[in-house]
Amino acid sequence: MWVEGSGALVSRYNPALPEEVVTTYHQAGSEELNQAIHSANAVSAAWDQLGILARGRFLAATAAAIRERAEEIAVMMTAEHGKTLAESRMEVAASADTFDYHGASARNPVGTEYPSSHPDERILTVRRPLGVVGVITPWNFPLQIPAWKIAPALLHGNTVVWKSASNTPGVSVMLMEALADAGIPTGVVNLLLGPGQLGSELVSSPIVGGVTFTGSVPVGHHIRSIVCERGAKLQLELGGHNATLILPDADVELAATSVVNAAMGSTGQKCTATRRVILVGDGHEEFLSRLKEKVSALILGPGTDPSVQIGPVVSASARDEIDAAIRQALAEGGEILAQATVPAGAGSYVAPTVLTGPRSMTICREEVFGPVTTVLHADTLDEAIDLANGTAFGLTAAVFSSDERSIRRCVSQLQAGLVKVNAPTTGSELHAPFGGMKDSTFAGPREQNSAAAATFFTHEKTAYLRLAPEKA
């Protein structure tokens, strides 16, 4: 059931064609938020009582519904977000896989039995849903990140109130339509399209038993202060300033290709994107030559053009922020090592840029959410690891080397939740835990992995089941 919002009428424009309106809608307000929370709460018990196998079948049906309209969703994603159609198609496929994965997890073992000192007693753990879960998601992966959160929340018997990103409302609506096509009952998942303030109201509600958020560090810390104050469960996945270490024995072609893909892919709008490249020791002339060649050859343009490798950033304001960060780096002593060419005409395009310069540059420690990376030098591996760890973030890191001893040191000592070896900082497997360290996260269960999902989206109870005495 769709309800028209009581807020302002807003439009979303195509970042490649700024005059083209993609979606128009009335924003939700406090009234609609309260309605959504109470709707989710009203059906919570019934959804729980269906049982986990029945809920798993609903998730599998959702995966099928997404695949049935995959191309339609991908086209909408490219129009709203700007990423290439190839990238959008991959995200749609991965999102369907996520619903399938968690649906299949319904058949995983549930609970643990412990021995009892009493002969007529069994000690069992039982998992119970949180109730209503608040989900707040960003625009950079408008289908996949909601799938990461909504699918396991539903599997474990929770109902959902979902505040999606304002930049990608069309994709959010299409996911809701897929959930409805799968037969998920009304009220189990509730979507809100509204301003950021609505998120604060959502996480403040005493009815909401858990909150899962992906977004910026400042907003995440604001949410943390609210949710922890009232004792609800919290999951945060925040920003990153990810370093790639290139050792002298690295495979040069593999390293250069991986850095370009990780730094510039999706127009650099990934929290796992490579923001710093740290060259360890000497002898990196060939790597730099190939890096410059590959970046300079990148083709920018509308994401619907099959020849295009890099689309626009999500908005004109995002473009202006990234361009300002590049200018600031140059003013602080930085230099441009390589830069692609921006197409003529309208569109929120940012030239993919490789910088170098002093470590004191602001861009070396603050996240710039766009196709920009900085090359730095370290004399030794110890110095490189210290440099990589020298920010407040700790999401991902990568190292390129064939030396096992150096690799083991990096895996052990790099302060990142994900460490990739001879692979880009971006990308993860949905069945493996995903999450960071330091300001990139909140101390708690990871995302994606089924065991981690069960830990976050449920309360674990311990039941002591003792037989009554036999009657004479």
Side-chain angles (χ1 to χ4, degrees):
M1 178 181 70
W2 292 104
V3 176
E4 186 170 294
S6 59
L9 181 68
V10 296
S11 296
R12 174 64 189 152
Y13 295 86
N14 186 333
L17 301 167
E19 301 301 319
E20 178 185 303
V21 176
V22 181
T23 45
T24 299
Y25 63 97
H26 281 279
Q27 290 186 319
S30 299
E31 180 181 343
E32 290 78 36
L33 170 64
N34 290 331
Q35 182 179 348
I37 292 172
H38 285 94
S39 176
N41 194 42
V43 301
S44 179
W47 179 247
D48 171 36
Q49 290 165 11
L50 279 178
I52 195 168
L53 292 180
R55 294 193 296 270
R57 289 191 289 272
F58 278 117
L59 298 189
T62 302
I66 291 172
R67 292 189 181 102
E68 285 177 6
R69 52 194 315 188
E71 188 64 12
E72 181 185 0
I73 299 172
V75 169
M76 174 62 78
M77 189 180 299
T78 292
E80 288 189 322
H81 177 285
K83 65 177 69 181
T84 67
L85 197 51
E87 290 169 327
S88 294
R89 287 168 177 154
M90 286 190 291
E91 180 174 343
V92 174
S95 303
D97 288 348
T98 299
F99 275 95
D100 263 340
Y101 168 70
H102 287 289
S105 297
R107 297 188 180 275
N108 287 354
V110 177
T112 305
E113 181 170 356
Y114 296 90
S116 172
S117 58
H118 193 287
D120 287 335
E121 184 176 68
R122 301 174 68 198
I123 304 173
L124 306 173
T125 59
V126 179
R127 292 201 173 273
R128 301 296 299 134
L130 306 182
V132 179
V133 170
V135 173
I136 304 177
T137 57
W139 49 261
N140 59 328
F141 286 93
L143 191 67
Q144 192 167 1
I145 291 178
W148 284 0
K149 299 174 184 297
I150 293 172
L154 296 180
L155 177 70
H156 292 289
N158 302 282
T159 54
V160 170
V161 178
W162 171 30
K163 161 68 174 68
S164 73
S166 299
N167 285 325
T168 51
V171 174
S172 302
V173 168
M174 287 181 170
L175 177 54
M176 289 297 295
E177 290 171 345
L179 291 163
D181 290 345
I184 291 178
T186 299
V188 172
V189 184
N190 304 269
L191 170 65
L192 295 164
L193 302 175
Q197 175 58 31
L198 215 58
S200 293
E201 295 180 34
L202 170 61
V203 303
S204 300
S205 171
I207 297 175
V208 175
V211 172
T212 174
F213 168 83
T214 296
S216 71
V217 171
V219 175
H221 288 179
H222 171 67
I223 289 173
R224 181 181 65 188
S225 68
I226 296 172
V227 176
C228 291
E229 173 70 22
R230 62 182 188 82
K233 293 189 81 171
L234 177 63
Q235 183 180 65
L236 299 177
E237 295 301 341
L238 308 177
H241 205 297
N242 315 297
T244 293
L245 279 60
I246 312 293
L247 275 62
D249 65 340
D251 182 309
V252 172
E253 178 61 23
L254 174 63
T257 299
S258 296
V259 166
V260 172
N261 290 341
M264 311 304 175
S266 290
T267 323
Q269 297 171 126
K270 296 181 179 181
C271 56
T272 55
T274 295
R275 306 296 179 198
R276 291 167 295 154
V277 180
I278 302 174
L279 306 181
V280 184
D282 300 319
H284 294 287
E285 291 80 10
E286 185 180 357
F287 169 80
L288 288 172
S289 175
R290 295 196 190 190
L291 180 64
K292 293 175 186 178
E293 178 184 343
K294 292 177 184 295
V295 170
S296 300
L298 290 171
I299 300 171
L300 279 70
T304 51
D305 184 339
S307 68
V308 163
Q309 298 165 284
I310 307 292
V313 295
V314 73
S315 66
S317 60
R319 174 199 61 204
D320 294 344
E321 287 179 12
I322 299 163
D323 285 341
I326 295 172
R327 291 194 301 271
Q328 182 179 11
L330 297 178
E332 293 173 347
E335 298 177 10
I336 293 176
L337 280 181
Q339 195 169 55
T341 302
V342 171
S348 300
Y349 294 101
V350 173
T353 302
V354 179
L355 296 165
T356 189
R359 300 175 184 180
S360 58
M361 292 187 299
T362 304
I363 204 168
C364 291
R365 61 183 182 276
E366 293 185 5
E367 184 179 29
V368 175
F369 214 61
V372 185
T373 194
T374 304
V375 174
L376 303 169
H377 294 261
D379 291 333
T380 66
L381 183 55
D382 283 338
E383 183 185 356
I385 291 172
D386 287 344
L387 182 57
N389 292 340
T391 74
F393 300 97
L395 186 53
T396 69
V399 55
F400 286 82
S401 175
S402 58
D403 180 67
E404 185 173 355
R405 190 176 299 276
S406 297
I407 289 169
R408 288 186 179 187
R409 285 183 60 197
C410 289
V411 170
S412 175
Q413 296 176 22
L414 286 170
Q415 295 171 0
L418 279 75
V419 179
K420 310 285 283 294
V421 177
N422 295 317
T425 55
T426 54
S428 62
E429 297 280 352
L430 63 88
H431 52 277
F434 177 90
M437 299 171 65
K438 301 193 290 186
D439 273 359
S440 292
T441 192
F442 174 74
R446 301 309 205 193
E447 288 197 285
Q448 297 185 218
N449 169 265
S450 61
T455 301
F456 176 71
F457 286 108
T458 63
H459 292 299
E460 186 174 56
K461 303 169 68 173
T462 303
Y464 287 73
L465 308 179
R466 184 174 296 186
L467 296 176
E470 292 185 4
K471 294 183 179 179

